[in-house]
Amino acid sequence: MDPVGRTVSVLGFGDPGRAIVHDWAAATPAGRLTWCVVAERADDATLTALAAQVRTARVGWRLMLAGPEVDVLAARAVATGLGLLDAEIRTAVTGADHKRVSCPHCRVITEAEVPVGAEVPCRGCARRLHVYAHVSRRTGAYLGFMADAEEIA
Amino acid sequence: MTAVLPARPATTPGEVPELLLEVAAVAHAADGVRALTLRHPDGAPLPGYAPGSHVVLTCGDRRNAYSLTGEGAPGEAYRISVLLRPDGRGGSAFVHGLAVGDRLAVSWPRSAFAPVATARHHVLVAGGIGITPMLSHARAAVRWGRSFELVYGHRPGAGAHREEVAAVCGERLTVHESTPGMLDAVAAVLADRPIGTHVYVCGPAPLIDFVERTAEELGWPAERVHAERFSADLDPGEPFTAHLSRSGVRVPVPPGVSLLAALEGAGVAVPSTCRQGVCGECRVAVVSGRPLHRDLYLSEAERSAGDAVMCCVSRSLDDHLGLDL
């Protein structure tokens, strides 16, 4: 738990996130927990609800996120985009099988179950993307790049 | 309009680029506060600066840092406001003795208290002559349409730039002439501002301490709280030896002599400006030993990392301090 926040909101994703959210909610002193939600995924509806929480929050508020990395990264990106700082966000990642991979060639994001270092076809331009270890905290996506870019055709 | 600004002069390490400026106007800003306008003697445009920047004036044999009160647009004259400190070390008395037409050496502006570009709202807190960097922040915030408010506390009748501040800020200004009223107002603001707000405070040490303590109690992360202190008042300190890891030289630092002065005495040039732990220019990397931080520049995280020291005021907890020089 964050020991210094005046108020706390908690958002979990899927069953692994649900268990952590349950523990966090139980550990939060009465009156400090202002919002506690478990969603299946960081889909548009969930992220819109999160954005509404951030927009109305006052300084002193903390956000705690739990669940698969792909969902936590997406939620984190929404919160920081609205002015939240790293120091105001706690995260618990339960797994990192799924990734959003950003294609710098066509700018489309592909979501896939793929490890870092492997390749995935871009759903935008069909290039074979090498999944690189660089994660954009702004977009919540891994950087992909054309796997055979330096090979002579 | 296209203004051709002077190129920043090339300097060697240890040398600070300076401008020779002329006093263009002297005005009374409040009891004991003199406002100076400084221009280039040729009328050449002066470099712009980030809001909250300061310049270092050569005041006889002293060098004092003063906040610029302008918006910071390139080409503007520089404006500073200086409170006379009869018990000070002569810097403010020197400035109060200046007249129109006098020339003096002024450093290029240095930014150590700039607004955070990503902030949703800026809370400016000024105590007494601490209004000077806030006037700069407020002017720039108005120009660029940034959301801000200013809480200004001063002794009854002694508010420097009171009318000017009111004209710039309008409804965004609240003024308090009693300390309890000021502190209550600041606490109320800190208790209820939207996420994304940053707070900036300049004034006497007790006001800065109050803002930092209250903000922390209300759950503000340190990253949202920015303070500009006037200067540090320091004891002579314990002796130690600086080990220069690149050259292998050992430099003894006796009590009452700063690490910076000892390094300079040993022929090691270190860039420096304010020499009072404020500006951040004289930062040196530490490779061994534990620094005794006495500056007002490094953040708490940078202090605990222990890998850098502001050598103008800070010393060593250990007998030896290894420096990357």
Side-chain angles (χ1 to χ4, degrees), chain B residues 207-284:
Chain B
L207 174 66
I208 294 176
D209 293 344
F210 176 83
V211 168
E212 291 183 338
R213 192 174 63 246
T214 307
E216 188 180 351
E217 286 167 7
L218 292 170
W220 288 61
E223 291 88 338
R224 294 201 182 280
V225 182
H226 313 274
E228 171 111 311
R229 291 170 188 271
F230 294 147
S231 65
D233 201 10
L234 301 167
D235 62 62
E238 299 293 321
F240 65 99
T241 304
H243 289 205
L244 312 191
S245 64
R246 293 196 208 183
S247 61
V249 171
R250 299 186 171 212
V251 180
V253 186
V257 175
S258 74
L259 174 55
L260 174 59
L263 290 169
E264 288 172 341
V268 182
V270 177
S272 71
T273 300
C274 77
R275 304 179 82 99
Q276 51 190 342
V278 174
C279 76
E281 179 81 17
C282 68
R283 180 183 187 133
V284 173

Side-chain angles (χ1 to χ4, degrees), chain A residues 4-6 54-62 82-85 87-88, chain B residues 120 190-198 216-221 223-224:
Chain A
V4 291
R6 265 189 299 162
V54 179
R55 285 201 183 90
T56 54
R58 317 306 280 176
V59 180
W61 178 69
R62 296 294 186 277
L82 291 169
L84 218 60
L85 301 175
E88 293 163 327
Chain B
R120 269 168 73 188
L190 292 176
D192 189 20
R193 283 300 174 270
I195 211 94
T197 300
H198 286 252
E216 188 180 351
E217 286 167 7
L218 292 170
W220 288 61
E223 291 88 338
R224 294 201 182 280

Side-chain angles (χ1 to χ4, degrees), chain B residues 13-318:
Chain B
E15 191 188 343
V16 177
E18 296 239 309
L19 302 157
L20 183 67
L21 300 186
E22 189 171 281
V23 178
V26 175
H28 174 88
D31 282 352
V33 179
R34 180 87 34 118
L36 263 59
T37 304
L38 305 170
R39 290 186 199 283
H40 198 283
D42 306 338
L46 296 176
Y49 53 89
S53 291
H54 63 266
V55 288
V56 179
L57 266 60
T58 302
C59 309
D61 58 353
R62 292 199 53 77
R63 290 165 57 77
N64 276 14
Y66 294 108
S67 294
L68 293 164
T69 60
E71 176 194 315
E76 274 184 2
Y78 290 169
R79 283 173 285 175
I80 59 170
S81 294
V82 178
L83 173 66
L84 180 64
R85 294 179 183 274
D87 54 348
R89 283 172 286 191
S92 64
F94 174 90
V95 174
H96 276 242
L98 291 169
V100 171
D102 285 348
R103 292 186 179 187
L104 71 164
V106 179
S107 73
W108 278 56
R110 300 184 44 82
S111 173
F113 191 53
V116 174
T118 53
R120 269 168 73 188
H121 180 66
H122 304 262
V123 172
L124 311 177
V125 178
I129 196 63
I131 190 66
T132 53
M134 299 313 179
L135 191 47
S136 174
H137 273 249
R139 289 189 212 276
V142 168
R143 163 63 64 105
W144 297 105
R146 289 194 281 258
S147 171
F148 79 101
E149 65 195 289
L150 171 57
V151 187
Y152 181 16
H154 59 72
R155 290 195 310 278
H161 298 290
R162 176 78 182 263
E163 287 74 25
E164 204 173 359
V165 168
V168 169
C169 299
E171 308 251 302
R172 292 168 287 206
L173 172 69
T174 52
V175 175
H176 301 275
E177 297 195 337
S178 81
T179 301
M182 174 70 180
L183 300 186
D184 286 351
V186 169
V189 166
L190 292 176
D192 189 20
R193 283 300 174 270
I195 211 94
T197 300
H198 286 252
V199 60
Y200 310 78
V201 55
C202 184
L207 174 66
I208 294 176
D209 293 344
F210 176 83
V211 168
E212 291 183 338
R213 192 174 63 246
T214 307
E216 188 180 351
E217 286 167 7
L218 292 170
W220 288 61
E223 291 88 338
R224 294 201 182 280
V225 182
H226 313 274
E228 171 111 311
R229 291 170 188 271
F230 294 147
S231 65
D233 201 10
L234 301 167
D235 62 62
E238 299 293 321
F240 65 99
T241 304
H243 289 205
L244 312 191
S245 64
R246 293 196 208 183
S247 61
V249 171
R250 299 186 171 212
V251 180
V253 186
V257 175
S258 74
L259 174 55
L260 174 59
L263 290 169
E264 288 172 341
V268 182
V270 177
S272 71
T273 300
C274 77
R275 304 179 82 99
Q276 51 190 342
V278 174
C279 76
E281 179 81 17
C282 68
R283 180 183 187 133
V284 173
V286 172
V287 295
S288 64
R290 296 172 300 155
L292 171 61
H293 297 292
R294 310 203 296 179
D295 63 280
L296 304 168
Y297 181 81
L298 293 175
S299 69
E300 278 309 313
E302 290 171 317
R303 284 167 183 254
S304 38
D307 58 0
V309 64
M310 309 312 302
C311 65
C312 65
V313 291
S314 295
R315 302 183 69 87
S316 178
L317 286 169
D318 301 311

Side-chain angles (χ1 to χ4, degrees), chain A residues 1-2 4-5 8 17 25 30 35 40 50 59 66-67 69 74 89 98-99 107 117 120 135 137:
Chain A
M1 280 305 302
D2 188 300
V4 291
V8 180
W35 190 67
E40 277 315 302
L50 171 63
V59 180
E69 184 189 72
I89 304 172
H98 276 83
K99 291 182 180 57
R107 298 175 188 268
V120 65
V135 182
R137 298 191 297 175

Side-chain angles (χ1 to χ4, degrees), chain A:
Chain A
M1 280 305 302
D2 188 300
V4 291
R6 265 189 299 162
T7 54
V8 180
S9 289
V10 173
L11 173 59
F13 300 101
D15 289 335
R18 186 186 312 276
I20 295 171
V21 163
H22 185 80
D23 291 348
W24 281 346
T28 305
R32 279 177 52 189
L33 189 65
T34 55
W35 190 67
C36 182
V37 168
V38 178
E40 277 315 302
R41 290 296 320 270
D43 51 24
D44 286 350
T46 305
L47 294 179
T48 303
L50 171 63
Q53 289 292 313
V54 179
R55 285 201 183 90
T56 54
R58 317 306 280 176
V59 180
W61 178 69
R62 296 294 186 277
L63 176 64
M64 301 180 72
L65 303 167
E69 184 189 72
V70 63
D71 299 307
V72 168
L73 278 175
R76 213 190 153 286
V78 166
T80 55
L82 291 169
L84 218 60
L85 301 175
D86 286 349
E88 293 163 327
I89 304 172
R90 296 277 174 114
T91 59
V93 170
T94 56
D97 296 342
H98 276 83
K99 291 182 180 57
R100 298 169 76 235
V101 180
S102 172
C103 176
H105 310 285
C106 75
R107 298 175 188 268
V108 167
I109 287 179
T110 301
E111 187 168 332
E113 192 171 331
V114 58
V116 167
E119 290 177 13
V120 65
C122 175
R123 69 176 178 86
C125 63
R127 284 185 174 87
R128 282 193 297 123
L129 297 177
H130 173 95
V131 180
Y132 191 59
H134 176 87
V135 182
S136 164
R137 298 191 297 175
R138 185 177 63 80
T139 62
Y142 281 74
L143 175 66
F145 60 83
M146 189 172 155
D148 54 0
E150 293 180 3
E151 286 168 22
I152 296 165

